[in-house]
Every structure is written in C-alpha cells, then in structure tokens.
Amino acid sequence: MPEWNKMLTENSFCKRKIYKKLLNNRQDVSWKKLFYNNEARPRAGFTLWMACLDRLATKSRLRKFGMLDNDRCVMCAESEDLNHLFFMCTKPRSIWQEILRWLHEDHVPSMWECELQWMVNRCKSKSWKSVLLKTAFAETIHACWLYRNSLIFKNEDKDSGTHRNIARDIIDRIVQRVWNKTSLRGKIVPFLL
C-alpha cells in the first residue's frame, strides 16, 4: 500500500510503473490454463470465466443480494446454485455426460469444484485431447447457461429441447471450432464416425 501512495503523490504519472505493479499483484488461479489454447467461441469462454469466478447470476446468488424471493431451479425446483445448475441438475448433467461419452471420457460428473479440478488436472498438457476437452467444457457450460436462460426469460417448455438435441448442437459447435484449426482436423475425424 505505501508503494501505491508513493506513486499517487509523485509529480509525474508513469503508466509503466502502475502496469508492473498491477501485474505483480494479480492472483494466480488453478483454472487459468482452461483458457489457453481453447478453441471455444469467445462468448463460451466468457461464460466459463464467469462460472469459474462464481459470478454467474444464478438464482441463489440473486436471492443472496435480495433480488429474488425464490431460488428454485426452473428445471427441477431444487435450489439453483453453481453446483446444482451445471452438474447436479438432471438435464445439464445428462448433457455433459453425453459430451463426455462422445469424447470417450470415462468420467462421472460431480459438484462444480470437483468438476473444475478434474478439468484442470485433465488439461495440463498442450495435447490435442486437452484442446478438445477444454473446448467441450466451455461450450457445454455456455449451452447449459443459455438453455437455463431460455427457460426463464423466454418461457420455453423445459421438454422442448431434449438433452440430446442440446448435446448434438454442442458437438456440432465443437467440431466446427476445432475443424478450423488444420492441425486438429485429423484428430477429430475418429470422433465423427
């Protein structure tokens, strides 16, 4: 803190000093590598980033701030928090399981923190499989968030978009995003058969 005060009282303003100070003060998070070499759409990456920070406007979060009286999940009537919304609620859980089956991943989804840690551990390398898994994770989180929002704000029928249709759309998006990277085309072909 004394360094900041010293910089503020100096006669000249030096952007470089402030930038270096900000870089040194940043906190390191375990999930940052989920964003490196991730081929997901920027909006999907942003939704994942907000989820990792626990800043998505879930009903329980909004209720905590006094903005809602009811924190019930629109899909199953349980309390909607980050854990529930993505991996405990039956619809998003089945979507993620479908994506994992498509990726030939033998993994049973768990709570958000466990799932996030599993992804971090699974995606430590720079391999093509890590790129595919990171892309799938971001696109799935984003698709589930959009599905939840469409149920709330557009009053869509929760049975209108089956989990298989949503999973198929996610898979199509992953293939489209990864196919643009020529080095990964040959790797994704076996998943298309």
Side-chain angles (χ1 to χ4, degrees), residues 105-121:
E105 287 288 334
D106 186 26
H107 174 71
V108 177
S110 184
M111 295 178 67
W112 170 256
E113 286 297 323
C114 298
E115 205 64 17
L116 188 60
Q117 192 56 52
W118 178 78
M119 283 297 298
V120 167
N121 292 337

Side-chain angles (χ1 to χ4, degrees), residues 15-72:
K15 289 187 285 187
R16 186 174 359 115
K17 284 182 184 178
I18 292 176
Y19 179 72
K20 285 183 178 180
K21 182 67 177 161
L22 287 171
L23 280 179
N24 291 336
N25 282 348
R26 66 183 176 162
Q27 293 182 345
D28 203 18
V29 289
S30 64
W31 42 263
K32 69 181 180 186
K33 292 197 177 190
L34 294 180
F35 298 91
Y36 300 150
N37 207 15
N38 190 329
E39 296 299 318
R41 294 171 296 163
R43 67 183 68 178
F46 181 75
T47 303
L48 176 60
W49 179 64
M50 292 292 285
C52 289
L53 291 171
D54 195 12
R55 295 293 187 262
L56 287 176
T58 60
K59 287 187 173 184
S60 63
R61 184 170 163 77
L62 293 174
R63 185 174 186 204
K64 185 171 75 172
F65 292 125
M67 298 173 79
L68 288 179
D69 294 332
N70 179 353
D71 68 350
R72 298 291 160 220

Side-chain angles (χ1 to χ4, degrees), residues 18 38 41 45 64 78 80 98-99 125 146 150 157 177:
I18 292 176
N38 190 329
R41 294 171 296 163
K64 185 171 75 172
E78 293 288 324
E80 182 196 86
E98 187 76 24
I99 301 300
S125 70
L146 289 180
S150 70
D157 181 23
R177 298 296 296 182

Side-chain angles (χ1 to χ4, degrees), residues 121-139:
N121 292 337
R122 189 70 180 80
C123 296
K124 284 184 178 178
S125 70
K126 295 180 182 180
S127 72
W128 64 270
K129 186 74 171 187
S130 291
V131 173
L132 199 57
L133 193 56
K134 288 188 277 192
T135 303
F137 190 59
E139 291 292 346

Side-chain angles (χ1 to χ4, degrees), residues 73 133 156:
C73 175
L133 193 56
E156 289 186 8

